[in-house]
């Protein structure tokens, strides 16, 4: 009897351990996934670098660590089982993949595989359980449930036919022709995926991210977050106040991506700027601290220390004025630079990844992007203006639909109409965000709509109604009376001198005439 009880207790202990480790195994595995992205060419003429940037940011938004190499940089044995998957990206079909070593290693690889673009090989098509077919000179309409958007004209595109019955598809490509065949846009079979085309925005990007999420088993579906970009201390703060009020009146939560300064933070202009940001926080908005513009990093002897001091000073100045950023917004290439990443980006667990703007300035480019708890993929909201039934679209990764802060009243009204016209249910930061931003001695946290500064709850000061227009200064001339008196004295003095000169002239003329009369 005792022996039976002993074995029963031992079994219960093992069961508890298995349950405990079972619960823990999923997030640990998810957090450690790495992906190798291999592209054929940057193809800068056709804006190929922007496509690479968007693929990197999309994978990062799925909480994947991305290492990026060109096919010329790939060497034998680089693709190991340490990677959860590999992404092949054809950026220039006329060049395509010529590195046979990579092709061989990819075919032997047992992890997840995703092919983006043309030049799909027969081996890849077979792994997808389908046949490949090239179509030419077509303009497709991309459809997903009730949503649709017309795509630009395509000269050639490789599509899949006779797909396997167990494959999962995302969106369909259809032409305007009557009774024309339709093709899958994104296709996933087992651990293999295919996207015939890549675009940096709109419905096609949304479906591409859904395909990625299925390939790498990253299910992170949520509503998009409205984000106002191009906010700086020199912006038209009155329009920011109006747009914040508009969003609150229409029950639209939103985020603001703003740059700031680390110096002159006691000046009145900075106080007005932080007042405008507190106004955002009090109108159902949150603030993301945007990374600074980079000029010549080589001018600094220790760029690492400069970056650390910069974010620390900016965060201190914000905290002193009751502005509490919930994360960092940045162009995507900062995550591909070791110095930027380690000394600025990783100070927070919440990123808002913006598209790159050329030219990009690196300090130590390593193309070894990491991932944090939550990364929003920033996409221009205007790219969805032509999407029909956008409310039916599902976003498979954290996504930020961005609008630029308008510079005029007319543009403000256009932005407001655009936001309303999108007709989507927006992401609620107050109900979902759980973030930390720490630099130096300052730690800002945001949880359940509550701000914390160094662990203590903080309330944003109530905003007093204020005109955010630039102040007008009254020019006071303090010596005005003095110069008026001085002018009168000089006038009298010159008048006397003039009279004396006239007298001397008259006297001289009289003396001169008397010489001849004698």
């Amino acid at each position: 009897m005792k022996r039976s009880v002993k074995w029963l207790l031992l079994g219960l202990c093992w069961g508890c351990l298995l349950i405990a480790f079972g619960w823990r195994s999923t997030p640990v595995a998810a957090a450690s996934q790495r992906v190798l992205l291999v592209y054929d060419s940057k193809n800068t003429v056709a804006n190929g670098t922007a496509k690479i940037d968007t693929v990197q940011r999309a994978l990062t938004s799925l909480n994947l660590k991305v290492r990026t190499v060109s096919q010329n940089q790939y060497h034998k044995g680089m693709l190991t089982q340490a990677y959860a998957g590999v992404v092949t990206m054809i950026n220039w079909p006329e060049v395509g993949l010529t590195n046979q070593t990579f092709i061989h290693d990819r075919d032997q690889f047992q992890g997840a595989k995703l092919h983006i673009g043309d030049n799909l090989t027969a081996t890849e098509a077979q792994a997808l359980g389908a046949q490949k077919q090239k179509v030419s000179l077509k303009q497709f309409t991309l459809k997903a449930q009730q949503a649709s958007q017309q795509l630009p004209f395509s000269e050639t595109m490789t599509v899949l036919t006779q797909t396997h019955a167990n494959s999962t598809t995302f969106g369909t490509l259809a032409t305007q022709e009557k009774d024309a065949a339709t093709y899958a846009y994104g296709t996933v079979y087992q651990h293999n995926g295919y996207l015939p085309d890549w675009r940096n925005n709109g419905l096609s990007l949304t479906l591409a991210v859904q395909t990625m999420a299925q390939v790498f088993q990253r299910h992170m579906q949520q509503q998009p977050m409205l984000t106002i970009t191009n906010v700086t201390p020199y912006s038209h703060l009155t329009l920011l106040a109006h747009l914040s009020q508009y969003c609150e009146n229409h029950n639209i939560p939103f985020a603001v991506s703003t740059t700031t300064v680390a110096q002159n933070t006691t000046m009145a202009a900075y106080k007005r700027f932080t007042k405008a940001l507190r106004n955002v926080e009090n109108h159902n908005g949150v603030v993301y601290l945007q990374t600074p513009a980079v000029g010549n990093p080589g001018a600094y002897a220790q760029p690492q220390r400069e970056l650390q001091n910069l974010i620390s000073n900016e965060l201190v100045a914000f905290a002193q004025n009751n502005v509490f950023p919930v994360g960092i917004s940045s162009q995507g290439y900062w995550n591909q630079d070791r110095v930027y990443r380690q000394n600025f980006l990783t100070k927070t667990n919440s990123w808002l990844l913006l598209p790159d703007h050329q030219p990009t300035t690196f300090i130590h480019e390593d193309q070894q992007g990491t991932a944090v708890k939550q990364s929003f993929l920033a996409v221009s909201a205007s790219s969805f203006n032509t999407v029909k039934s956008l409310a039916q679209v599902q976003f498979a990764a954290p996504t930020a639909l961005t609008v630029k802060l308008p510079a005029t009243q007319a543009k403000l009204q256009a932005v407001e109409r655009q936001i309303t016209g999108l007709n989507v249910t927006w992401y609620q930061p107050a109900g979902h965000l759980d973030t930390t931003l720490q630099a130096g001695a300052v730690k800002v946290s945001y949880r359940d709509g509550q701000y914390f500064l160094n662990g203590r709850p903080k309330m944003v000061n109530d905003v007093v109604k204020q005109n955010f227009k630039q102040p007008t200064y009254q020019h006071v001339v303090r010596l005005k009376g003095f110069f008026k008196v001085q002018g009168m004295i000089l006038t009298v003095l010159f008048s006397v001198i003039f009279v004396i000169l006239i007298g001397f002239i008259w006297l001289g003329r009289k003396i001169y005439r008397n010489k001849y009369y004698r």
Side-chain angles (χ1 to χ4, degrees):
M1 181 69 180
K2 291 183 178 179
R3 189 174 182 181
S4 301
V5 172
K6 179 180 178 181
W7 280 107
L8 179 62
L9 292 174
L10 185 61
L12 289 172
C13 290
W14 274 108
C16 292
L17 287 173
L18 288 173
I19 292 172
F21 281 105
W23 280 104
R24 293 180 184 180
S25 62
T26 300
V28 171
S32 62
Q33 281 195 324
R34 298 173 63 212
V35 172
L36 181 65
L37 169 61
V38 182
Y39 62 90
D40 58 343
S41 170
K42 287 188 175 180
N43 195 9
T44 55
V45 176
N47 203 26
T49 52
K51 291 185 177 181
I52 296 173
D53 163 60
T54 309
V55 171
Q56 289 173 331
R57 291 186 294 118
L59 291 169
T60 304
S61 71
L62 291 169
N63 202 21
L64 294 168
K65 301 176 182 178
V66 187
R67 181 183 182 184
T68 307
V69 296
S70 68
Q71 65 171 336
N72 295 331
Q73 296 170 322
Y74 184 88
H75 57 78
K76 184 178 180 180
M78 184 179 290
L79 180 57
T80 67
Q81 297 305 319
Y83 291 99
V86 58
V87 178
T88 304
M89 184 175 185
I90 304 300
N91 227 359
W92 195 350
E94 290 76 13
V95 173
L97 286 179
T98 58
N99 189 329
Q100 295 300 319
T101 300
F102 167 67
I103 295 175
H104 175 269
D105 288 356
R106 182 188 62 187
D107 291 343
Q108 300 299 316
F109 183 65
Q110 298 300 312
K113 302 175 188 178
L114 175 64
H115 184 109
I116 300 174
D118 220 333
N119 297 358
L120 187 73
T121 66
T123 302
E124 289 177 300
Q126 183 180 1
L128 287 162
Q131 299 291 323
K132 63 175 184 173
Q133 176 183 336
K134 181 166 288 189
V135 294
S136 303
L137 305 176
K138 298 289 185 181
Q139 184 171 28
F140 290 105
T141 297
L142 182 59
K143 298 180 179 180
Q145 297 178 346
Q146 302 300 318
S148 64
Q149 186 176 32
Q150 193 172 54
L151 300 181
F153 184 81
S154 298
E155 292 186 3
T156 60
M157 184 182 293
T158 301
V159 296
L160 296 181
T161 61
Q162 302 178 31
T163 55
H164 197 279
N166 293 330
S167 63
T168 305
T169 59
F170 299 89
T172 57
L173 294 166
T175 64
Q176 302 293 335
E177 302 170 5
K178 186 178 181 180
D179 299 327
T182 60
Y183 311 98
Y185 183 69
T187 304
V188 178
Y189 176 62
Q190 295 179 346
H191 56 271
N192 301 283
Y194 176 61
L195 287 165
D197 187 33
W198 182 270
R199 302 190 184 276
N200 294 329
N201 48 45
L203 181 61
S204 56
L205 176 59
T206 304
L207 294 175
V209 175
Q210 290 181 18
T211 306
M212 285 179 166
Q214 180 68 22
V215 171
F216 297 106
Q217 294 297 297
R218 317 293 286 187
H219 303 292
M220 307 171 66
Q221 182 176 332
Q222 64 182 42
Q223 298 301 320
M225 180 172 67
L226 176 63
T227 305
I228 303 169
T229 61
N230 284 34
V231 178
T232 74
Y234 315 102
S235 297
H236 200 319
L237 300 179
T238 303
L239 297 182
L240 178 60
H242 288 329
L243 189 54
S244 301
Q245 186 66 58
Y246 176 86
C247 289
E248 185 180 48
N249 291 344
H250 290 77
N251 197 28
I252 299 175
F254 65 101
V256 166
S257 171
T258 180
T259 58
T260 185
V261 294
Q263 298 176 341
N264 301 322
T265 57
T266 59
M267 298 182 66
Y270 184 79
K271 300 299 181 183
R272 289 191 299 274
F273 170 60
T274 53
K275 189 79 171 181
L277 296 181
R278 286 199 302 275
N279 185 64
V280 166
E281 293 173 327
N282 278 305
H283 285 78
N284 210 18
V286 293
V287 175
Y288 275 82
L289 173 61
Q290 186 171 337
T291 53
V294 180
N296 179 20
Y300 300 102
Q302 294 181 312
Q304 297 92 336
R305 181 171 296 179
E306 291 291 336
L307 285 169
Q308 292 172 5
N309 291 338
L310 179 65
I311 187 173
S312 179
N313 293 337
E314 289 179 347
L315 193 57
V316 167
F318 265 168
Q320 290 175 341
N321 288 273
N322 273 19
V323 175
F324 306 110
V326 298
I328 293 176
S329 61
S330 167
Q331 295 182 49
Y333 81 92
W334 275 60
N335 192 28
Q336 310 305 322
D337 186 291
R338 181 172 61 85
V339 174
Y340 294 145
R341 187 173 58 246
Q342 293 180 356
N343 298 281
F344 206 106
L345 283 187
T346 53
K347 303 297 182 182
T348 183
N349 61 0
S350 181
W351 290 348
L352 198 159
L353 296 177
L354 303 166
D356 285 348
H357 295 294
Q358 300 298 328
T360 53
T361 304
F362 289 93
I363 298 178
H364 190 288
E365 181 181 5
D366 63 356
Q367 294 295 327
Q368 295 268 11
T370 188
V372 293
K373 181 178 179 180
Q374 188 172 45
S375 300
F376 287 90
L377 170 64
V379 187
S380 174
S382 62
S383 67
F384 291 89
N385 288 347
T386 58
V387 176
K388 298 179 180 179
S389 302
L390 180 59
Q392 303 296 321
V393 176
Q394 296 180 349
F395 293 84
T399 305
L401 299 187
T402 62
V403 294
K404 294 181 179 179
L405 178 66
T408 65
Q409 186 67 33
K411 291 182 178 179
L412 171 65
Q413 295 174 356
V415 168
E416 292 173 347
R417 288 194 298 270
Q418 178 188 7
I419 294 173
T420 305
L422 290 173
N423 191 29
V424 298
T425 302
W426 296 102
Y427 177 79
Q428 291 272 1
H432 299 90
L433 273 184
D434 184 358
T435 69
T436 299
L437 172 57
Q438 183 171 8
V442 179
K443 179 180 179 180
V444 175
S445 302
Y446 183 73
R447 185 170 59 254
D448 297 327
Q450 173 68 58
Y451 294 101
F452 298 86
L453 180 61
N454 293 335
R456 297 182 178 180
K458 294 288 292 185
M459 297 295 294
V460 179
N461 289 346
D462 293 334
V463 176
V464 179
K465 289 186 178 180
Q466 174 180 342
N467 185 1
F468 292 106
K469 293 181 179 179
Q470 296 297 327
T472 56
Y473 298 96
Q474 182 180 2
H475 298 280
V476 180
V477 182
R478 300 185 184 278
L479 298 178
K480 181 178 179 181
F482 170 77
F483 288 113
K484 183 176 181 181
V485 174
Q486 186 183 48
M488 294 177 61
I489 294 173
L490 289 175
T491 301
V492 173
L493 179 61
F494 280 115
S495 299
V496 173
I497 293 173
F498 182 74
V499 171
I500 294 174
L501 287 175
I502 294 296
F504 278 128
I505 294 173
W506 178 81
L507 182 60
R509 184 173 181 274
K510 185 177 181 181
I511 295 173
Y512 183 77
R513 290 180 62 185
N514 288 340
K515 285 174 58 179
Y516 293 98
Y517 286 138
R518 292 176 183 173

